[in-house]
Amino acid sequence: MSFGDPNNPYGQPQGQPQQPGYGYPQQGQPQQPGYGYPAAPPAPAYGGGYAGAPQEMPGGVKAARVMLFVIAGFQIIGAIFAGLGAVGMAAAKNDPMLKDDIQFQQLADMSVGAIWLVTVLILAWGIFAIVLGAKFGSGGNGIRIAALVFGIITAVLGIYPFVLIGLVHTVLAILIAVFVGKADGAAWFNRPRY
């Protein structure tokens, strides 16, 4: 179809002077940029980072970090109770009134040292949770893997020996493993660091 065709409904109306066709440059007028490829986006400034790397910690990773600190708080409270239990057991072991109590003597057969060992393990697990949470801002993929392992072990330990007390630990640990294991968590821990 051309503009000169009298049957063209989009053509030049009859009786008016002809103008250059669509897409043909006119003589003496400045050119405007035409259609085609758009301009490329500006290059990132020096040290701007990669386009796919998150610049701020994702919400799931922040939540996992908070949950690690909550678990650490519970561990410290548990260590305090276990330490008080060890001190109480050591004091009551030599009580003459409890020498005849069979149930207490069965409980006292467990060494006070074993209770102190459990106390130290509880406290160490809490400190490990604090260190993991503190490293979330600057840590790499190793911190992510350590948090996944921490979450899985904590969930298993929360289920087996401490079914009722460990329920909160189990739920928090599963959420930590899920939030750290998601794609945005992987992107956060694998981001480039300069």
Side-chain angles (χ1 to χ4, degrees), residues 124-192:
W125 200 248
I127 291 171
F128 183 49
I130 291 172
V131 169
L132 277 177
K135 291 285 189 176
F136 266 33
S138 62
N141 199 37
I143 297 297
R144 176 177 172 257
I145 292 170
L148 280 168
V149 170
F150 176 88
I152 293 167
I153 292 173
T154 303
V156 169
L157 290 176
I159 289 173
Y160 172 62
F162 312 107
V163 176
L164 217 50
I165 297 171
L167 185 62
V168 175
H169 275 74
T170 302
V171 170
L172 291 176
I174 290 171
L175 289 174
I176 288 169
V178 167
F179 288 150
V180 172
K182 285 182 7 183
D184 61 347
W188 172 254
F189 287 107
N190 290 325
R191 73 192 185 284

Side-chain angles (χ1 to χ4, degrees), residues 24-127:
Y24 294 103
Q26 296 179 4
Q27 300 288 335
Q29 292 188 356
Q31 294 284 330
Q32 291 184 342
Y35 296 103
Y37 293 108
Y46 182 73
Y50 294 103
Q55 299 300 321
E56 184 179 333
M57 189 182 298
V61 177
K62 285 181 185 177
R65 181 185 219 181
V66 169
M67 290 175 202
L68 279 169
F69 292 139
V70 169
I71 285 178
F74 286 144
Q75 292 295 112
I76 290 170
I77 291 170
I80 289 170
F81 282 132
L84 289 175
V87 168
M89 180 70 74
K93 198 173 195 178
N94 299 326
D95 189 6
M97 293 179 63
L98 295 174
K99 291 272 187 195
D100 297 332
D101 189 1
I102 297 172
Q103 291 178 346
F104 178 75
Q105 290 303 323
Q106 289 174 349
L107 184 64
D109 285 342
M110 183 172 23
S111 171
V112 175
I115 298 174
W116 279 114
L117 177 66
V118 170
T119 303
V120 169
L121 290 175
I122 292 171
L123 190 60
W125 200 248
I127 291 171

Side-chain angles (χ1 to χ4, degrees), residues 6-21:
N7 295 326
N8 183 359
Y10 301 107
Q12 188 74 21
Q14 300 294 327
Q16 291 187 358
Q18 285 288 57
Q19 295 180 350

